[in-house]
Amino acid sequence: MIVAVLAVTAAAGGVVVLVSDDLVRPTQEPPVRTQRPTAQPTPRLDQLVPTAEPVKDFGQGGPGVTSAPPRVLAIAPTAVPTQTRLALSELKHVQKVIVVDAGALKISGTTVNLLAVDPAEFRSWTPQPVADQPAVWSALGRGELVTDAAAMRKFGMVLGAMYQVDGGPRLRVAASATLGLKGVDGLVSADLGKSLGFAPEVAVLLHGKPGKISESGVRKLLGEKAQIVVLDAAQRKREQPQQPQQPQQPAKTGTVGRPGSYLELYKLAANRCPGLSWTVLAAIGQVESGHGRNNGPSSAGALGPMQFMPATWKHYGVDGDGDGKKDIWSPYDAVPGAANYLCANKAGQGGERLRKAIWFYNHSWDYVNKVMGIAQAYAKTYA
């Protein structure tokens, strides 16, 4: 039996995946020739007309899966109702929330704590090297077990081996990854979790500003019996000296109307945030959707020409054209909404504050460098 082992390591976490022989191409099969697509020139902004027409055909959208790891993990005594989930999302510094099934299995008498997740939905909640490895998520989809690297060492598991669940099925350990979830030994698919009798919708993960999500606020909503694990404890303990800052001017309100070109739309929207260059908005619009040509939803669930996550849009979306609606799909609302979000993260102060604000938009410094490079190019082109 031919077996290939693929190892991926990075500072944020490592992945080891076992790929079975059915994924290895036979030597006699002729190579598939693919024709490289011809690069299309980026259209000029003053010739691109925004449109608020409903999106009919959804593409992939966005720059890909961006890791947004959880800051707090909680296990509730019972299923978390929808009203409580909404209340959790409204907590200060919380940017997104997910609720999944959880359970414990006994393998040869040893208890293993697992989360049961939808691979596509949960992917962005893992460290970037794990999120970027399709084989991990394919393994979950096949009903196999993905274990935490520390749990592999602790329990002496062997990658690729089959393990008998006490009173249940045999499970294959298909991948080992650094999940960053204290107390969680691994992942299975939501469907497998249901068949194993996992407790439905009891595990809550919250992402937001590092070290800022209130543990007491989470406990108040989930009850005193909830188990709460602070995953960013090190950042909470680290004391950072406060640097004096110039007061940020408040973002301007008002509408941008419906200008006849993206160039004019970006310029008008930038006025909402004193100090923010329109070229930054234009660069983000280019990276995220090609100025409305690929509006998603993305694989991470982002929507519209500026690729907002729905929870973020709920807090920062605006009615830019004054039609009485905050439409995540409309460029007339989405572009000024992006300016509003950047300004809330002090983008108008420029320098490192601007770079950090762009990082909040998409948690990647490569993304920040790409946006800044495109912004400089726009500045030269439209000087």
Side-chain angles (χ1 to χ4, degrees), residues 244-305:
Q245 298 178 352
Q246 295 296 324
Q248 175 76 356
Q249 291 180 283
K252 293 182 179 179
T253 58
T255 63
V256 298
R258 294 197 170 196
S261 73
Y262 262 100
L263 177 62
E264 187 180 357
L265 175 58
Y266 289 129
K267 288 183 175 181
L268 289 172
N271 290 332
R272 296 182 63 92
C273 184
L276 175 66
S277 171
W278 69 267
T279 60
V280 173
L281 285 176
I284 291 175
Q286 167 61 29
V287 174
E288 296 292 348
S289 72
H291 311 302
R293 290 178 294 167
N294 195 359
N295 287 340
S298 74
S299 54
L303 309 175

Side-chain angles (χ1 to χ4, degrees), residues 65-191:
V65 178
T66 300
S67 174
R71 311 299 183 190
V72 175
L73 166 66
I75 306 296
T78 59
V80 180
T82 301
Q83 186 175 359
T84 302
R85 298 184 203 184
L86 293 174
L88 287 166
S89 68
E90 294 290 343
L91 287 176
K92 190 174 182 181
H93 303 304
V94 171
Q95 295 174 345
K96 67 175 186 174
V97 177
I98 190 173
V99 179
V100 300
D101 302 348
L105 297 180
K106 281 198 173 183
I107 300 177
S108 300
T110 300
T111 301
V112 181
N113 297 315
L114 303 173
L115 298 183
V117 303
D118 180 300
E121 186 180 22
F122 195 76
R123 195 169 178 178
S124 64
W125 288 88
T126 58
Q128 195 68 55
V130 184
D132 287 342
Q133 179 48 257
V136 170
W137 310 102
S138 298
L140 287 178
R142 293 193 302 267
E144 296 176 317
L145 175 63
V146 174
T147 61
D148 183 77
M152 283 280 289
R153 294 189 297 269
K154 177 181 176 181
F155 300 133
M157 290 182 169
V158 178
L159 197 66
M162 301 290 294
Y163 289 90
Q164 178 66 53
V165 176
D166 295 2
R170 286 167 58 82
L171 292 180
R172 178 174 180 263
V173 178
S176 170
T178 302
L179 301 174
L181 302 172
K182 186 176 180 181
V184 175
D185 299 318
L187 305 174
V188 295
S189 70
D191 289 340

Side-chain angles (χ1 to χ4, degrees), residues 231-254:
L231 301 175
D232 57 359
Q235 289 167 303
R236 295 171 185 260
K237 293 179 181 178
R238 190 182 303 126
E239 294 184 1
Q240 298 180 348
Q242 297 295 320
Q243 298 294 333
Q245 298 178 352
Q246 295 296 324
Q248 175 76 356
Q249 291 180 283
K252 293 182 179 179
T253 58

Side-chain angles (χ1 to χ4, degrees), residues 58 60 93 220 225 230 282 286 288 335:
F58 295 156
Q60 288 300 311
H93 303 304
K220 182 178 179 181
K225 294 184 179 180
V230 176
Q286 167 61 29
E288 296 292 348
V335 174

